[in-house]
Amino acid sequence: VKNAGSLNWPFLTWLFPREYQDKEEVVLWMNTVGPYHNRQETYKYFSLPFCVGSKKSISHYHETLGEALQGVELEFSGLDIKFKDDVMPATYCEIDLDKEKRDAFVYAIKNHYWYQMYIDDLPIWGIVGEADENGEDYYLWTYKKLEIGFNGNRIVDVNLTSEGKVKLVPNTKIQMSYSVKWKKSDVKFEDRFDKYLDPSFFQHRIHWFSIFNSFMMVIFLVGLVSMILMRTLRKDYARYSKEEEMDDMDRDLGDEYGWKQVHGDVFRPSSHPLIFSSLIGSGCQIFAVSLIVIIVAMIEDLYTERGSMLSTAIFVYAATSPVNGYFGGSLYARQGGRRWIKQMFIGAFLIPAMVCGTAFFINFIAIYYHASRAIPFGTMVAVCCICFFVILPLNLVGTILGRNLSGQPNFPCRVNAVPRPIPEKKWFMEPAVIVCLGGILPFGSIFIEMYFIFTSFWAYKIYYVYGFMMLVLVILCIVTVCVTIVCTYFLLNAEDYRWQWTSFLSAASTAIYVYMYSFYYYFFKTKMYGLFQTSFYFGYMAVFSTALGIMCGAIGYMGTSAFVRKIYTNVKID
């Protein structure tokens, strides 16, 4: 375990925090360099003509799948650093600055390039250089002044000061130097990442107010829905009970209307049941993944390890594949579907195909830019193996369980052989209008949190308030279910029994508003530019929005399905 720390294995150093002996080697890893305003556009540190220290290089490979997918490119700096051993200012290499190298540095300085390093998994950021006020002369920072804090035998703090500003003049030699100062610190090892967090931003009063506002909206909405539906349904039940007491002549002369009239068609299979059941199964799996990952993040500080959040999400997604198969397979069986193997394949690969297709497209652009975000071929093979040898078999198990345990159609009403004609209704009761309006309230309950999530991913913020995220997820689920139940009740009352797709799409339309908000965020809250960053941003925002929409759609459908089953169970049907 002691040697594992020197290899920089995040998992082992998480279980067994790295302890050093006096004068033991401490590795300074150089990660990536890139423009400050384009956080995702990163390149290898030595893609710029920096020079390497004299110490023998240490080979590095990607320890985790999350690191590889996030473009972590650790390379040994060559600097000789020993635990508790101060290093006086010393030159470690020399750059022979020809015109080509100068142009590379000038381009980096013009675009505000920053670089990132790691010491004992603690990130350090530094700026490449700066220009003068007129933008005519450019200067390179040549001196790295490192101050490392230790508590006992562990490193708990690292600070970098860039000094030694040298003008970039072609055909000159630039000496790169460094120094290391060790100092005792009172910071506990488990608290060493606190300095990277931003409580003033994430725990701002606006954040608390938005949570409180959403919570009050939930209470109001749930109360309103409960009151309206209880009063309305009570009147409906009374009217239908009164109709039961009428003779046939009075019933024929009466004015029959309302949701009871479609009892013979309300449990009719949805159109395109194969796609519909696959979407429901995928949505249930995304919800399970979101819930589990947020709980894990609340218990363990995943942000302290490189790529741990992404690695955890991939592992949980693969492990929850039976959820997808169970809900998708059972729904498809209840709707009379016979091509269950095809449904299983579509359900298993719906989300992975969407994510991998987007990543594959963006990968071409990353390769063109020689960016570190380009996913290595071996990593793509590993992801494909996870899909075929983990996700697919587990999905098959879930599908078989779903079809056998809950695949029988046990509807409270018998389905008519001939579909009932759908009467004309007012324009605002059309399914298309209901779908467009259904996502407004769910989006309104989460859009403030979207700002904090976007800022943590697209800017230099570490998201750590997962308790807020859990509350927002619960609020989103309640609001989505309430809205879809109301929409479905109005639709059925208009004697339109096409509620399955309407309930799913009205909840899923939240994704459209989230994606529209991402446009506003891009143009007004960021300074991103260039083809690479634009395609990366809008590509992955489309994936995020689609996944969110599928999850909300599945939640809305499941809640509405329970509501529909409940109201038709309590009505006497001849």
Side-chain angles (χ1 to χ4, degrees):
V1 171
K2 175 183 174 182
N3 293 331
S6 63
L7 289 175
N8 204 26
W9 290 4
F11 180 69
L12 289 180
T13 55
W14 173 67
L15 288 177
F16 307 97
R18 181 72 168 95
E19 294 187 3
Y20 293 89
Q21 303 297 325
D22 290 356
K23 295 188 180 298
E24 185 179 347
E25 179 189 55
V26 177
V27 180
L28 174 64
W29 297 104
M30 313 308 291
N31 185 19
T32 53
V33 64
Y36 177 78
H37 297 300
N38 282 4
R39 182 187 174 188
Q40 311 303 323
E41 184 182 343
T42 55
Y43 307 93
K44 291 183 179 180
Y45 175 80
F46 290 108
S47 63
L48 285 179
F50 288 114
C51 53
V52 187
S54 57
K55 197 170 186 302
K56 186 178 179 181
S57 178
I58 297 176
S59 61
H60 171 74
Y61 55 90
H62 292 298
E63 297 92 357
T64 65
L65 182 62
E67 278 187 308
L69 293 173
Q70 287 185 332
V72 175
E73 293 283 353
L74 300 187
E75 297 176 286
F76 181 50
S77 62
L79 300 187
D80 189 11
I81 302 175
K82 292 183 173 60
F83 189 69
K84 294 185 182 179
D85 189 9
D86 290 347
V87 177
M88 300 304 292
T91 300
Y92 64 86
C93 69
E94 191 175 68
I95 301 175
D96 189 4
L97 193 69
D98 55 20
K99 185 178 184 304
E100 183 179 353
K101 292 180 180 178
R102 180 188 181 275
D103 291 342
F105 280 125
V106 168
Y107 179 83
I109 293 170
K110 282 183 177 179
N111 289 277
H112 308 287
Y113 270 42
W114 285 60
Y115 58 86
Q116 187 184 48
M117 308 182 296
Y118 283 99
I119 287 183
D120 196 46
D121 294 335
L122 288 174
I124 320 160
W125 292 273
I127 192 168
V128 173
E130 65 177 33
D132 62 5
E133 295 179 356
N134 299 323
E136 297 176 356
D137 296 325
Y138 299 91
Y139 299 88
L140 182 71
W141 296 109
T142 62
Y143 175 39
K144 294 179 175 63
K145 183 179 179 181
L146 291 167
E147 291 186 359
I148 306 177
F150 64 92
N151 189 342
N153 292 326
R154 296 172 180 171
I155 295 174
V156 295
D157 187 30
V158 180
N159 289 304
L160 170 68
T161 305
S162 298
E163 297 179 358
K165 187 167 65 174
V166 175
K167 185 178 179 179
L168 293 173
V169 179
N171 302 318
T172 58
K173 295 184 181 295
I174 297 179
Q175 293 183 337
M176 305 296 291
S177 58
Y178 80 111
S179 67
V180 180
K181 177 69 175 177
W182 292 86
K183 61 179 181 179
K184 199 169 184 179
S185 175
D186 296 329
V187 177
K188 296 180 180 179
F189 182 83
E190 55 269 20
D191 299 330
R192 64 179 189 158
F193 268 87
D194 289 354
K195 62 175 287 187
Y196 300 103
L197 308 181
D198 192 353
S200 62
F201 177 75
F202 285 103
Q203 298 185 31
H204 194 276
R205 283 181 297 178
I206 292 177
H207 204 172
W208 284 102
F209 179 75
S210 68
I211 297 293
F212 177 76
N213 187 44
S214 298
F215 186 70
M216 294 304 294
M217 185 176 73
V218 165
I219 295 176
F220 172 76
L221 189 60
V222 171
L224 184 64
V225 169
S226 301
M227 184 179 65
I228 292 175
L229 292 186
M230 285 178 64
R231 289 186 62 184
T232 308
L233 288 173
R234 190 181 296 117
K235 291 181 180 179
D236 290 340
Y237 285 132
R239 177 162 57 88
Y240 293 144
S241 298
K242 185 178 180 181
E243 289 177 358
E244 293 294 332
E245 298 173 359
M246 297 180 182
D247 55 24
D248 293 338
M249 180 67 71
D250 292 337
R251 190 180 298 113
D252 291 338
L253 294 175
D255 186 16
E256 293 188 358
Y257 64 93
W259 49 268
K260 183 185 176 183
Q261 308 310 316
V262 294
H263 65 83
D265 298 281
V266 73
F267 295 107
R268 189 176 298 282
S270 63
S271 59
H272 310 291
L274 191 146
I275 297 296
F276 184 74
S277 56
S278 299
L279 287 170
I280 297 300
S282 299
C284 293
Q285 183 182 7
I286 294 172
F287 174 73
V289 171
S290 303
L291 191 64
I292 295 172
V293 170
I294 291 174
I295 292 174
V296 172
M298 291 171 63
I299 298 173
E300 300 293 340
D301 297 330
L302 296 181
Y303 57 82
T304 61
E305 299 293 342
R306 297 185 302 271
S308 58
M309 177 63 76
L310 184 57
S311 298
T312 303
I314 293 173
F315 172 78
V316 173
Y317 184 87
T320 54
S321 294
V323 175
N324 187 335
Y326 182 89
F327 286 99
S330 61
L331 178 60
Y332 187 63
R334 287 196 300 271
Q335 295 196 347
R338 299 184 180 276
R339 296 180 295 173
W340 67 273
I341 296 179
K342 183 177 181 180
Q343 185 278 327
M344 179 200 67
F345 272 94
I346 293 177
F349 294 125
L350 184 64
I351 299 299
M354 177 184 68
V355 176
C356 293
T358 305
F360 188 70
F361 168 74
I362 295 174
N363 209 44
F364 276 113
I365 301 175
I367 293 172
Y368 175 78
Y369 275 78
H370 303 287
S372 65
R373 285 283 176 174
I375 302 172
F377 178 75
T379 304
M380 290 191 284
V381 172
V383 172
C384 291
C385 289
I386 291 174
C387 291
F388 284 103
F389 299 113
V390 179
I391 293 177
L392 186 61
L394 291 179
N395 203 290
L396 174 62
V397 172
T399 301
I400 294 174
L401 290 175
R403 290 179 60 85
N404 287 284
L405 297 180
S406 58
Q408 297 301 318
N410 56 344
F411 304 128
C413 304
R414 182 167 48 86
V415 179
N416 293 337
V418 180
R420 175 189 177 92
I422 299 173
E424 293 186 3
K425 48 188 174 296
K426 295 181 179 180
W427 65 271
F428 54 83
M429 297 301 298
E430 291 292 337
V433 178
I434 292 175
V435 166
C436 292
L437 299 178
I440 294 178
L441 281 178
F443 171 72
S445 66
I446 64 170
F447 88 96
I448 295 293
E449 196 65 27
M450 287 295 103
Y451 171 75
F452 290 98
I453 294 173
F454 288 3
T455 302
S456 66
F457 189 80
W458 300 110
Y460 295 89
K461 300 285 186 183
I462 297 177
Y463 191 94
Y464 67 96
V465 284
Y466 290 99
F468 282 148
M469 187 179 288
M470 176 62 77
L471 284 175
V472 169
L473 180 62
V474 173
I475 289 170
L476 175 64
C477 293
I478 296 173
V479 172
T480 299
V481 170
C482 289
V483 169
T484 51
I485 285 176
V486 172
C487 292
T488 300
Y489 174 75
F490 286 138
L491 189 72
L492 294 178
N493 223 34
E495 299 181 22
D496 190 339
Y497 50 82
R498 299 171 297 180
W499 64 274
Q500 291 101 328
W501 275 107
T502 304
S503 63
F504 176 85
L505 293 176
S506 63
S509 64
T510 306
I512 298 175
Y513 297 102
V514 171
Y515 198 57
M516 290 169 60
Y517 176 72
S518 72
F519 278 81
Y520 165 80
Y521 185 87
Y522 179 85
F523 289 108
F524 294 99
K525 298 297 182 180
T526 71
K527 296 181 180 178
M528 298 178 187
Y529 60 88
L531 173 65
F532 177 85
Q533 188 66 18
T534 302
S535 59
F536 195 97
Y537 178 88
F538 288 108
Y540 282 112
M541 281 310 307
V543 170
F544 171 78
S545 301
T546 304
L548 178 67
I550 293 174
M551 182 188 76
C552 291
I555 293 170
Y557 169 78
M558 298 297 284
T560 305
S561 178
F563 166 76
V564 171
R565 181 178 292 272
K566 181 69 175 177
I567 64 174
Y568 282 97
T569 302
N570 294 334
V571 172
K572 297 179 181 179
I573 306 296
D574 291 333

